[in-house]
Amino acid sequence: MKVLIVYKSKTNFTKSYAEIIAGAAGAALMDAKDVTVERMSEYQIVVFGGGLYAGMINGLKQAKEMFEASEAKELVVFATGGTPNEAETVIEEMWKTNLSEEELSNVAHYYMQSGICYEKMKLPEKLLMKMMAAVMDKKKEKDELENGFAQAIKNSYDISSEVYAEPLIQYLKNRMEQKCEESI
Ligand SMILES: Cc1cc2nc3c(=O)[nH]c(=O)nc-3n(C[C@H](O)[C@H](O)[C@H](O)COP(=O)(O)O)c2cc1C
């Protein structure tokens, strides 16, 4: 029973979570840019993680295509973002945008709050963030969460914690146990 954690990360938030998950679950770890269909096929479970950029999970489309072409049996997805975990409705909507109705029920998916790192951003992302901040600033009737987000995205912040990786780690440990029992 082999598990591969694949990550796509621009400012290292997703990479850090991927390293924690791989270490705790005893899984292999690979940067998305090094993954091929052949390499993916050596594993039964593939976990893909990417950061949220304007609501979309970075690299998910390519990861799904590669998974479909591979012999791996199960895809699990995790996303990291500046949105706090408590913003459940926002996170639910994000999943509906990124996964089809069928995937929502068949693909285990996990969200982990991370933060924003201006220092590690390249120019296009910096500009996009500035635009997002300006749009949020102009929005008239902001609820408490949106107000907090509008303030937060003006500067770097880090609300990540290995605690938020725990549900996915637990899921993987359970899946590995199931497979062992099945093969006895
Ligand atoms: C241009 C840009 C757009 C972003 N859009 C979102 C977003 O829509 N929702 C969110 O929760 N976080 C958003 N973020 C925060 C990132 O999702 C967060 O920093 C993520 O953990 C980055 O992952 P990475 O460093 O592994 O690429 C955005 C960050 C940038 C730079």
Side-chain angles (χ1 to χ4, degrees):
M1 178 66 182
K2 289 167 79 184
V3 180
L4 173 66
I5 317 286
V6 180
Y7 62 88
K8 184 151 185 174
S9 187
K10 290 181 195 239
T11 62
N12 282 354
F13 280 115
T14 311
K15 185 181 180 198
S16 300
Y17 272 121
E19 286 169 348
I20 291 166
I21 296 158
L29 178 69
M30 249 180 242
D31 189 320
K33 61 176 185 281
D34 300 323
V35 179
T36 59
V37 172
E38 289 71 30
R39 287 182 120 169
M40 217 180 239
S41 297
E42 291 168 26
Y43 300 84
Q44 282 85 49
I45 298 180
V46 173
V47 180
F48 175 77
L52 283 178
Y53 289 88
M56 303 305 289
I57 302 171
N58 183 26
L60 179 60
K61 191 170 174 278
Q62 297 92 313
K64 274 198 231 172
E65 283 167 5
M66 206 175 268
F67 171 79
E68 289 304 329
S70 81
E71 284 164 30
K73 300 283 178 282
E74 181 184 348
L75 179 69
V76 176
V77 177
F78 76 94
T80 71
T83 306
N85 287 342
E86 304 88 77
E88 286 171 14
T89 320
V90 178
I91 295 163
E92 212 171 289
E93 283 308 310
M94 177 281 287
W95 284 121
K96 284 187 192 157
T97 313
N98 284 277
L99 296 177
S100 69
E101 214 163 298
E102 198 188 330
E103 287 165 341
L104 283 171
S105 45
N106 296 340
V107 177
H109 47 282
Y110 294 84
Y111 176 77
M112 295 160 209
Q113 68 178 34
S114 57
I116 281 172
C117 183
Y118 278 96
E119 292 76 18
K120 291 193 190 126
M121 264 180 228
K122 296 208 172 111
L123 191 60
E125 278 89 43
K126 272 191 190 153
L127 292 174
L128 197 55
M129 274 318 288
K130 281 214 179 309
M131 270 171 56
M132 275 174 68
V135 170
M136 286 302 288
D137 250 356
K138 276 199 192 118
K139 193 167 187 265
K140 285 205 178 85
E141 283 165 30
K142 291 194 273 283
D143 62 27
E144 205 179 314
L145 249 157
E146 287 172 323
N147 241 328
F149 192 56
Q151 288 309 311
I153 61 176
K154 286 176 183 163
N155 301 296
S156 294
Y157 64 96
D158 186 347
I159 49 169
S160 64
S161 162
E162 57 186 48
V163 169
Y164 305 130
E166 209 40 57
L168 172 51
I169 292 166
Q170 212 43 59
Y171 174 83
L172 292 174
K173 285 184 175 169
N174 289 343
R175 290 290 288 118
M176 285 159 143
E177 270 171 28
Q178 277 169 20
K179 287 280 173 181
C180 290
E181 281 163 13
E182 277 166 23
S183 62
I184 292 170

